[in-house]
Amino acid sequence: MRRSLPLLLARQVARRRRLSNVPESTVYGGPRPQESSAARRVTVTTLRGKHRRGEPITVVTAYDYPSAVHVDSAGIDVCLVGDSAAMVVHGHDTTLPITLDIMLEHCRAVARGAPRPLLVGDLPFGCYESSAAQAVDSAVRVLKEGGMDAIKLEGGAPSRITAAKAIVEAGIAVMGHVGLTPQAISVLGGFRPQGKTVDSAIKVVETALALQEAGCFSVVLECVPAPVAAAATSALKIPTIGIGAGPFCSGQVLVYHDLLGMLQHPHHAKVTPKFCKQFGNVGDVINKALSEYKQEVEAQAFPGPSHTPYKITPTDVDGFADALQKMGLSDAADAAAAAAENREKGGEPKGE
């Protein structure tokens, strides 16, 4: 009997997860293996249970291995690998330039760092609009090559609803996205909130209902007034995830870099949304650390003995110096001998 595509995908992702976050013993070290994480894996069923019990769902958008490790350690329910990486990581003004191949690189990095949350990968602009078949093919790649558990797609046009339904029928979980849909800024005229008029508000609710009918397990509501989000949440039987949509959604999502206050570059200030709360000022800490590193290197205070751990015996130093002398590298031999003597005295590096 042939195995189903969803089962094969699930087993392939499980194998990828088992290899993801368990480093070998090397000179570089690494995070500890998260042996118990498999038993605590968040699934679509987990989210349905939380929604049924009225428990808020936490979602963070992350793009790489280090941030994914933090998201995993914090116990966040869902890690979304968003096409907003185009703006936050790659420095573009919109999400449009990022390709599916680049998104897959981000997905793989996050999958290696976050074995516990439900992983959702965005379908970027240009990889699912042409046909339902193209959408399914792209979604399959996000799971098979990216290691994701589900995909997210934007919009509620009939072609998007058809694409969502086709992806679900292929055995892949889909998260919808309505309200401000950044991939549609050409039509919307920029990053503009939606649902601010009666017609627009009704369209948000109708689109969310259509995505539910297509089989989506959840819908993101972005940049809509709180009453509109509350109405959509009440009308739907699936969880809503709000971003700039007020407190009445089933859960909330913010971008990792935004909520940490990580970047203060003028470009990032331009693209950081006004609805984002900064729960930290990590950017200030980063800038201070980089400045101190620069100062210590320039003052030759770093690295000191405690950060120069690898040793060579005095006998081997002498042999090394003799070999250098025979090669005609007397200055190099003297430098090696002086460094060894300074090391033995526990001294700091000396400027010339």
Side-chain angles (χ1 to χ4, degrees):
M1 182 177 180
R2 294 183 61 187
R3 296 176 179 174
S4 66
L5 176 61
L7 179 59
L8 290 173
L9 290 176
R11 289 182 175 175
Q12 183 169 356
V13 170
R15 286 195 296 271
R16 189 189 306 273
R17 290 271 183 99
R18 284 199 293 271
L19 295 173
S20 65
N21 202 20
V22 186
E24 296 180 3
S25 178
T26 71
V27 296
Y28 297 108
R32 296 289 183 184
Q34 299 182 3
E35 297 174 355
S36 63
S37 61
R40 298 182 290 108
R41 279 282 310 284
V42 177
T43 67
V44 170
T45 301
T46 308
L47 299 186
R48 290 188 182 120
K50 295 195 73 169
H51 179 240
R52 185 174 60 252
R53 295 188 297 271
E55 300 173 6
I57 296 167
T58 55
V59 186
V60 169
T61 299
Y63 314 107
D64 58 23
Y65 176 83
S67 57
V69 171
H70 286 296
V71 169
D72 185 279
S73 299
I76 300 298
D77 296 316
V78 181
C79 188
L80 170 64
V81 185
D83 62 353
S84 50
M87 302 172 73
V88 178
V89 177
H90 297 279
H92 295 293
D93 289 329
T94 73
T95 64
L96 302 184
I98 200 164
T99 65
L100 179 58
D101 286 336
I102 294 175
M103 282 297 300
L104 290 173
E105 291 290 346
H106 287 291
C107 288
R108 284 190 284 268
V110 168
R112 287 190 287 269
R116 193 198 61 82
L118 182 78
L119 301 182
V120 181
D122 254 340
L123 291 186
F125 180 74
C127 80
Y128 65 102
E129 295 86 352
S130 296
S131 66
Q134 183 200 31
V136 172
D137 288 345
S138 296
V140 167
R141 291 191 67 192
V142 171
L143 266 66
K144 289 188 68 173
E145 300 176 39
M148 298 288 100
D149 301 309
I151 65 94
K152 181 173 78 66
L153 56 75
E154 290 187 10
S159 61
R160 304 297 173 89
I161 302 299
T162 299
K165 185 176 181 180
I167 295 170
V168 171
E169 289 177 350
I172 298 171
V174 177
M175 176 181 281
H177 184 156
V178 301
L180 169 58
T181 48
Q183 293 178 11
I185 59 170
S186 176
V187 174
L188 298 177
F191 296 104
R192 300 183 182 280
Q194 301 298 300
K196 296 178 69 175
T197 66
V198 173
D199 289 344
S200 180
I202 290 296
K203 183 177 179 180
V204 168
V205 176
E206 287 179 341
T207 302
L209 287 168
L211 287 167
Q212 174 181 263
E213 182 65 23
C216 291
F217 72 90
S218 178
V219 174
V220 171
L221 303 175
E222 181 169 359
C223 293
V224 300
V228 178
T233 301
S234 176
L236 293 173
K237 297 178 181 178
I238 59 176
T240 58
I241 306 298
I243 178 165
F248 305 109
C249 298
S250 312
Q252 298 291 329
V253 57
L254 285 177
V255 171
Y256 179 86
H257 297 67
D258 292 342
L259 72 90
L260 292 179
M262 183 172 287
L263 303 176
Q264 284 101 30
H265 188 274
H267 167 80
H268 193 259
K270 181 174 64 174
V271 301
T272 300
K274 64 176 67 175
F275 57 74
C276 181
K277 177 179 179 178
Q278 292 187 349
F279 290 82
N281 291 302
V282 175
D284 290 339
V285 177
I286 292 173
N287 291 338
K288 182 174 182 292
L290 290 172
S291 178
E292 290 179 358
Y293 164 71
K294 177 177 182 290
Q295 292 170 11
E296 289 199 12
V297 170
E298 291 175 343
Q300 294 188 302
F302 174 83
S306 62
H307 295 101
T308 310
Y310 309 113
K311 301 178 181 179
I312 182 172
T313 66
T315 300
D316 285 333
V317 170
D318 292 340
F320 180 44
D322 289 343
L324 291 171
Q325 291 284 2
K326 292 175 181 178
M327 295 169 63
L329 301 173
S330 57
D331 289 345
D334 292 342
E341 181 180 359
N342 190 60
R343 167 79 189 196
E344 288 299 317
K345 293 179 179 179
E348 299 290 340
K350 304 295 183 183
E352 296 183 359

